[in-house]
Amino acid sequence: MSLLGIDAAHDKQQGGHCDILVSGREGFIWIAEAKKHSDYAWLDKGFKQLSTRYSTGVDGQDTGDIIIYCWAKSSAEVLEKWRCELRDRHKDVCVDKAVCQTSLTFNSAHEHVATSRQFQTRHKIVSLHFEPEA
């Protein structure tokens, strides 16, 4: 879909098939990689895809999102565990000290491998837990 010079696409080719790609004027690109939470190695694979395969790290292309679909009872706990896992698995990644409980997100930043510029990632969890009592 394209509107006012902004194009949004699913499964577009950008160093591979990234889940969401939004492009705009003057070379702007924002990329999101979405993963169903099964384990933290799977989330890490998505982080590596986003940060080393799909992103370029050049000006206007230095941010992205990891979207985590979560069926667990406490998505906040899953996100906190992911924050700790990311920090432990990638010593070069600077991770926010705390998860924002209201938006269920946290941010990270690291030096992009291709440009040595800072690449920023927002990690957002989407709660899909459904267990009605009545």
Side-chain angles (χ1 to χ4, degrees):
M1 179 172 80
S2 184
L3 183 64
L4 300 173
I6 299 172
D7 182 57
H10 166 70
D11 203 30
K12 191 163 184 173
Q13 184 69 27
Q14 169 79 16
H17 291 281
C18 56
D19 291 321
I20 303 170
L21 186 137
V22 176
S23 56
R25 296 181 179 117
E26 299 177 15
F28 171 82
I29 292 178
W30 171 85
I31 301 170
E33 178 64 13
K35 291 291 186 200
K36 296 176 187 174
H37 176 259
S38 57
D39 59 49
Y40 297 98
W42 184 241
L43 298 181
D44 191 47
K45 181 179 180 180
F47 177 73
K48 288 176 183 174
Q49 287 173 304
L50 175 72
S51 61
T52 66
R53 179 180 295 172
Y54 304 147
S55 63
T56 65
V58 300
D59 192 34
Q61 301 178 16
D62 50 5
T63 62
D65 276 38
I66 296 291
I67 302 169
I68 304 164
Y69 298 115
C70 179
W71 283 267
K73 208 168 203 173
S74 177
S75 55
E77 288 178 18
V78 171
L79 188 62
E80 174 60 19
K81 174 75 171 152
W82 167 236
R83 186 185 69 79
C84 294
E85 285 280 331
L86 180 66
R87 184 189 62 222
D88 293 345
R89 290 171 185 254
H90 301 277
K91 301 298 183 192
D92 61 323
V93 175
C94 179
V95 179
D96 277 357
K97 292 181 181 171
V99 172
C100 180
Q101 294 296 325
T102 56
S103 65
L104 295 173
T105 64
F106 72 87
N107 297 312
S108 69
H110 68 280
E111 186 177 292
H112 195 276
V113 295
T115 62
S116 299
R117 296 180 71 245
Q118 186 167 316
F119 187 82
Q120 296 193 25
T121 306
R122 179 176 57 178
H123 305 257
K124 181 165 185 59
I125 199 159
V126 177
S127 177
L128 300 172
H129 179 75
F130 183 73
E131 191 177 340
E133 292 185 14

